[in-house]
Amino acid sequence: MRRASLLLLLPLIVAGVLYALCAPLLEAVTRQRIDANLQRVDARLLDDGRLHVLLCGTAAALPDPDRAGPCTAVLAGGQFILIDAGPGSWRVLDGLNLPLSRLSSVLITHLHSDHIGELGEAIEQSWIAGRKQPLDVYGPPGIEDVLQGFAQVYAHDVGYRVAHHGETYMPGAAAPARAHPLAPPQGTQAQRVFSAGDLEVSVFAVDHAPVDHAYGYRIRYRGRTVVISGDTRPAESVRVNARNADLLLHEALSTRFTERAVQRAAALGQARTAKLAHDVGDYHTTPLQAAQLAQAAGVKELVLTHIFPPLPNALARHLFLEGTREVYSGKLLLGEDGMRFDLSPQE
Ligand SMILES: [Zn+2]
Ligand SMILES: [Zn+2]
């Protein structure tokens, strides 16, 4: 009987001894993880004299398991700018260990949902992270309606957080976004949006009809130029404004895939899907067209983004890029979430 009790107790004794040995180790690991998380933000990219571009979302409108919705981050000269805030992009941004409390402005290319779906979170989360003044958001006419809507959606949340943490730590006056509707630029010429020190941001019109106002942006800093096409058919304005650019982020949709989808949907009796798949192909740019445009503009590096359809394997990626390297002699990359480009000054 006594022997049986001892046998029953043995596992408990062993577990107790193991816990006693492991507890300090667990405590050390926990402390190390918490400290690493508290110290992970790297603000050096803001002010190291270079122009930094990070991809925080490279998908198009349909959910893609490997990519967040359209989002690009630019950090230079003390400015932290987001171009578009597609669904899922805040999680990618957070994983890049950027100084999110220093987000200074957002440039919206157009008001399709895949470009503004996470704008509310960008406004709210940057405030929670410690943003100290209202966030400037630039975009086409209508951006003021979008911001008004998000302000209404988040009003209760803002109130709860101010009440919980107090105005000192969570100032309500810093929570909102300020709308800056940009008048449609005429022709192919870019118009200045703002400049801050050596950093200059310009906007130009692109062709995404029936979207009435769709924009691309050009950012210059210390002799370097980055151009973001936004959503567009092949556009002369992109070619003009990306002339000799160091980096062109151009949207890309493969009609090779969408046309096949149209055929298969029709064959399967899915008329509505066939119609939508056909429509989506008529106001974007194919990878080959983007490569031809980059070559004509003398762009030094082309990064394809706003990737459609999702590319789940190497064969799909190969077919997506097929022919591009024959028409473009610069460096060409298929954009991936988390990619980063660091451009040193060239003055
Ligand atoms: Zn889009
Ligand atoms: Zn669009």
Side-chain angles (χ1 to χ4, degrees), residues 37 40-43 45-46 52-58 66-75 79-108 115 117-127 129 131 135 336-340:
N37 195 42
R40 71 191 172 95
V41 170
D42 184 0
L45 298 190
L46 275 169
H52 302 282
V53 179
L54 298 97
L55 306 187
C56 35
T58 55
D66 301 318
R67 302 168 185 277
C71 176
T72 304
V74 172
L75 293 91
Q79 298 291 306
F80 180 172
I81 304 168
L82 273 194
I83 299 95
D84 287 333
S89 57
W90 196 261
R91 180 183 291 196
V92 178
L93 266 178
D94 187 59
L96 295 173
N97 301 326
L98 299 174
L100 302 177
S101 66
R102 303 279 299 275
L103 183 63
S104 43
S105 53
V106 181
L107 312 172
I108 296 294
H115 297 256
E118 198 118 309
L119 181 54
E121 281 297 281
I123 298 165
E124 188 73 1
Q125 292 286 348
S126 59
W127 174 62
R131 181 168 49 75
L135 183 63
E336 306 283 352
D337 290 10
M339 268 184 181
R340 173 174 145 188

Side-chain angles (χ1 to χ4, degrees), residues 109-115 208 211 214 231-232 251 283-284 306:
T109 59
H110 64 299
L111 303 183
H112 262 151
S113 61
D114 52 321
H115 297 256
H208 195 41
V211 176
D231 284 14
T232 182
E251 69 122 285
Y283 64 173
H284 288 285
H306 198 275

Side-chain angles (χ1 to χ4, degrees), residues 53-280:
V53 179
L54 298 97
L55 306 187
C56 35
T58 55
L62 288 189
D64 183 328
D66 301 318
R67 302 168 185 277
C71 176
T72 304
V74 172
L75 293 91
Q79 298 291 306
F80 180 172
I81 304 168
L82 273 194
I83 299 95
D84 287 333
S89 57
W90 196 261
R91 180 183 291 196
V92 178
L93 266 178
D94 187 59
L96 295 173
N97 301 326
L98 299 174
L100 302 177
S101 66
R102 303 279 299 275
L103 183 63
S104 43
S105 53
V106 181
L107 312 172
I108 296 294
T109 59
H110 64 299
L111 303 183
H112 262 151
S113 61
D114 52 321
H115 297 256
I116 59 169
E118 198 118 309
L119 181 54
E121 281 297 281
I123 298 165
E124 188 73 1
Q125 292 286 348
S126 59
W127 174 62
I128 292 171
R131 181 168 49 75
K132 291 185 171 56
Q133 61 283 316
L135 183 63
D136 291 312
V137 178
Y138 301 82
I143 190 66
E144 63 279 20
D145 302 332
V146 171
L147 291 186
Q148 202 172 30
F150 276 125
Q152 195 172 356
V153 166
Y154 282 86
H156 290 286
D157 180 86
V158 169
Y160 299 147
R161 291 183 195 280
V162 173
H164 192 184
H165 304 293
E167 276 285 345
T168 304
Y169 297 99
M170 204 63 85
R178 281 190 292 243
H180 300 271
L182 301 171
Q186 299 303 307
T188 59
Q189 293 308 306
Q191 289 177 6
R192 181 179 295 195
V193 177
F194 68 85
S195 55
D198 294 334
L199 186 88
E200 183 185 306
V201 177
S202 304
V203 62
F204 55 90
V206 293
D207 178 10
H208 195 41
V211 176
D212 48 5
H213 302 300
Y215 297 163
Y217 290 97
R218 186 183 68 203
I219 297 172
R220 285 180 167 154
Y221 182 69
R222 298 192 175 176
R224 296 293 201 161
T225 301
V226 175
V227 171
I228 293 107
S229 73
D231 284 14
T232 182
R233 299 181 179 90
E236 178 67 4
S237 60
V238 177
R239 193 187 65 75
V240 167
N241 289 291
R243 185 97 208 125
N244 297 326
D246 295 284
L247 188 61
L248 170 61
L249 307 185
H250 204 295
E251 69 122 285
L253 173 144
S254 174
T255 48
R256 163 189 218 149
F257 289 109
T258 57
E259 281 164 9
R260 288 287 290 145
V262 171
Q263 292 165 4
R264 290 307 305 150
L268 293 168
Q270 298 181 11
R272 181 174 183 275
T273 303
K275 162 74 173 147
L276 296 186
H278 170 266
D279 291 348
V280 79

